[in-house]
């Protein structure tokens, strides 16, 4: 009986301490002028609830506090905005007291000159460099021919396998295609070395920034150092050779007729930007497009008709060109609808550079603003039957120009590689649907938060079309 009373007393003390900590932390952030919301535990905030509950956490907070509320997630006090018009305003007005505010682990690993880390003149330099690398002329003359040749080869012989794990295939496809565009002269052992380090780097960017042996963060930092070493060696070899290269690295290193001259460190950060930024979006969109097309035969029939028409007017070995990509209207609609439903980027982070008035509230200097765009994609006031896969909704040209269209970001941070990514997914879809038909092996679960993935793979039985 005495032991029971002691246990009960200890439990009550723990409850009181926890309650006091929660109340104290809430009081810390109860400054006049802040929006409503809860802050959770000291240091940890509500990050655990956010990562575990994901969209449900955001929906519950929105029901309690509206579409503009405070929280403490991802390691810092944060204002969450779920209002479409306000989100667009925030993205379009970065220079007015807002800068990019991505997690420290991502900034440490991707580099201080990464386009997500810089702002002002540095951002204009890095962004201008990226835009020049993905211009229509570059797409037509250099990038698309490489993409087409790669996809044609990469998608060969899939029907010879009993099953194909599309998740693994699209991950490797995206990385290898991007690396080929960056440095087409790499030999297979070098490609494998880059690939090994890159996958470690990706895991590190999504980790807690604790620099201890064995942590994902430490592994990510080491992988970044190894990639820097490989790139430094490659750049030195190219300078010593005196040859001219027409891949992305060649253009980044070019001194003549180059409006965007970068230092070697900036070039290495830019290469990582190109590899990293499109990796998850292109691979996940490619995988999920096949999933949605499998589940919606009418959409698959319409899409396949579009691609067979392109093949009918070309020789069997004739590559896709930029006009072919532009003619894929329904394919573009499928890509947008896939990106809307299988949301890869849940939102973007900004940081206040000074006390800032926003939406009638005063946001302190140094706070993050999480422009949470995920729920906008499922808003029934913006999309009719939002949970239904309906690519035909995007056949209206005005859809891409709507204020709530934020699938590729907005304002000065609008994705400069948007059309390159669409071209890669379109090319993959083209060669897949004109060569193969497929059925799901079945029984595999897809997870949509915090990342879209198939934990045990997404396996298909593939046969010739």
């Amino acid at each position: 009986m005495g032991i029971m009373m002691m246990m009960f007393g200890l439990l009550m003390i723990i409850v009181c301490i926890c309650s006091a900590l929660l109340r104290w932390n809430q009081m810390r952030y109860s400054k006049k002028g802040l929006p409503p919301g809860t802050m959770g535990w000291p240091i940890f905030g509500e990050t655990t609830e956010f990562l575990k509950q994901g969209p449900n956490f955001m929906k519950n907070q929105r029901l309690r506090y509206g579409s503009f509320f405070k929280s403490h997630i991802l390691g810092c006090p944060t204002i969450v905005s779920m209002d479409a018009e306000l989100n667009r305003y925030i993205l379009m007005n970065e220079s007015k007291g807002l800068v990019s505010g991505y997690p420290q682990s991502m900034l440490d690993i991707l580099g201080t000159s990464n386009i997500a880390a810089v702002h002002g003149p540095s951002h204009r330099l890095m962004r201008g460099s990226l835009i020049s690398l993905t211009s229509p002329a570059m797409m037509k003359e250099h990038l698309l021919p490489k993409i087409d040749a790669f996809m044609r080869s990469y998608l060969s012989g899939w029907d010879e396998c009993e099953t194909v794990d599309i998740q693994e295939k699209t991950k490797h496809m995206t990385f290898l295609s991007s690396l080929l565009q960056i440095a087409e002269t790499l030999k297979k052992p070098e490609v494998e070395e880059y690939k090994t380090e890159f996958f470690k780097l990706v895991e590190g960017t999504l980790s807690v920034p604790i620099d201890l042996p064995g942590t994902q963060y430490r592994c990510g930092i080491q992988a970044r150092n190894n990639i820097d070493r490989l790139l430094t060696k490659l750049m030195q070899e190219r300078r010593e050779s005196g040859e001219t290269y027409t891949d992305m690295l060649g253009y980044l290193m070019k001194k003549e007729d180059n409006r965007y001259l970068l230092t070697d460190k900036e070039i290495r950060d830019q290469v990582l930007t190109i590899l990293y930024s499109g990796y998850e979006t292109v691979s996940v969109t490619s995988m999920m497009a096949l999933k949605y097309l499998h589940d919606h035969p009418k959409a698959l029939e319409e899409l396949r008709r579009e691609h067979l028409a392109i093949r009918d007017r070309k020789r069997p070995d004739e590559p896709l060109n930029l006009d072919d990509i532009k003619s894929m209207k329904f394919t573009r609609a499928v890509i947008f609808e896939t990106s809307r439903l299988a949301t890869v980027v849940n939102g973007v982070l900004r940081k206040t550079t000074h006390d800032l008035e926003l939406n009638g509230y005063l946001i302190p200097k140094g706070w993050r603003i999480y422009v949470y765009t995920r729920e906008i994609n499922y808003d029934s006031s913006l999309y009719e039957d939002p949970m239904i896969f309906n690519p035909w909704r995007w056949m209206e040209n005005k859809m891409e120009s709507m204020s709530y269209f934020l699938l590729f970001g907005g304002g000065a941070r609008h994705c400069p590689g948007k059309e390159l990514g669409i071209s890669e997914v379109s090319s993959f879809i083209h060669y897949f649907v004109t060569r193969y038909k497929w059925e799901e092996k079945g029984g595999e679960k897809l997870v949509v938060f915090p990342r879209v993935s198939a934990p045990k793979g997404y396996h298909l039985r593939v046969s010739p079309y």
Side-chain angles (χ1 to χ4, degrees), residues 86-105:
L86 183 58
N87 285 350
R88 185 170 179 82
Y89 172 82
I90 293 169
L91 294 175
M92 297 296 287
N93 290 276
E94 181 173 314
S95 60
K96 299 178 181 178
L98 294 166
V99 295
S100 180
Y102 286 91
Q104 194 61 43
S105 57

Side-chain angles (χ1 to χ4, degrees), residues 59 62 67 82-85 87 340-341 343 372-388 393 399 404:
K59 287 177 185 176
R62 185 180 194 176
S67 59
M82 299 173 68
D83 180 272
E85 288 299 324
N87 285 350
R340 184 186 69 81
L341 283 173
T343 305
Y372 189 71
T373 56
R374 180 187 180 88
E375 293 307 311
I376 293 172
N377 295 336
Y378 314 126
D379 191 329
S380 59
S381 68
L382 304 176
Y383 298 100
E384 185 179 351
D385 296 325
M387 303 312 294
I388 301 298
R393 73 173 89 238
M399 288 289 287
Y404 52 81

Side-chain angles (χ1 to χ4, degrees), residues 405-422:
F405 180 76
L406 299 172
L407 295 176
F408 299 91
R413 300 278 172 175
H414 187 271
C415 177
K418 170 187 170 184
E419 294 304 326
L420 174 60
I422 290 172

Side-chain angles (χ1 to χ4, degrees), residues 115-313:
I115 194 171
V118 294
H119 50 90
S122 296
H123 179 258
R124 287 192 289 274
L125 173 69
M126 301 303 283
R127 181 177 174 81
S129 171
L130 277 176
I131 290 174
S132 70
L133 290 175
T134 57
S135 67
M138 280 288 290
M139 287 283 294
K140 182 178 181 179
E141 296 169 18
H142 300 290
L143 301 182
L144 196 53
K146 291 185 179 78
I147 293 170
D148 181 89
F150 171 78
M151 293 295 179
R152 190 184 290 263
S153 170
Y154 187 76
L155 272 84
S156 296
W158 285 18
D159 54 318
E160 296 172 7
C161 306
E162 184 178 343
T163 59
V164 174
D165 184 352
I166 293 297
Q167 179 169 251
E168 283 303 303
K169 285 285 190 181
T170 54
K171 280 182 178 181
H172 287 87
M173 172 195 82
T174 305
F175 171 77
L176 293 172
S177 177
S178 295
L179 191 62
L180 174 67
Q181 294 162 49
I182 291 165
E184 60 187 344
T185 56
L186 291 175
K187 296 179 174 60
K188 189 172 180 179
E190 295 170 317
V191 170
E192 289 301 314
E193 197 170 358
Y194 274 98
K195 187 170 73 172
T196 299
E197 300 301 333
F198 178 74
F199 289 154
K200 292 178 188 174
L201 179 147
V202 170
E203 294 297 324
T205 60
L206 302 172
S207 65
V208 178
I210 299 175
D211 192 13
L212 293 174
T215 61
Q216 286 187 334
Y217 177 78
R218 171 70 70 86
C219 290
I221 291 290
Q222 290 173 341
R224 170 61 205 252
N225 292 337
N226 289 335
I227 290 175
D228 274 351
R229 174 180 53 79
L230 293 169
L231 285 173
T232 298
K233 179 185 175 187
L234 176 61
M235 291 166 67
Q236 184 63 33
E237 289 173 350
R238 287 193 169 194
R239 287 193 175 109
E240 291 173 355
S241 74
E243 295 181 34
T244 300
Y245 298 89
T246 59
D247 50 28
M248 285 184 172
L249 183 59
Y251 280 92
L252 287 170
M253 293 176 62
K254 190 171 70 169
K255 298 293 184 184
E256 303 80 20
D257 301 321
N258 188 348
R259 290 177 57 195
Y260 305 100
L261 290 173
L262 307 180
T263 66
D264 279 9
K265 181 186 180 305
E266 288 171 336
I267 290 173
R268 293 195 300 271
D269 284 359
Q270 193 76 301
V271 167
L272 258 297
T273 295
I274 295 164
L275 283 173
Y276 184 86
S277 58
Y279 168 68
E280 192 163 11
T281 50
V282 170
S283 62
V284 168
T285 303
S286 298
M287 175 181 78
M288 293 305 294
L290 296 189
K291 167 64 178 172
Y292 290 131
L293 290 169
H294 170 272
D295 293 346
H296 298 84
K298 287 185 178 179
L300 175 58
E301 183 182 354
E302 178 83 8
L303 179 132
R304 183 171 269 143
R305 187 183 302 119
E306 180 173 82
H307 287 274
L308 290 175
I310 292 172
R311 289 261 58 96
D312 285 345
R313 62 176 183 257

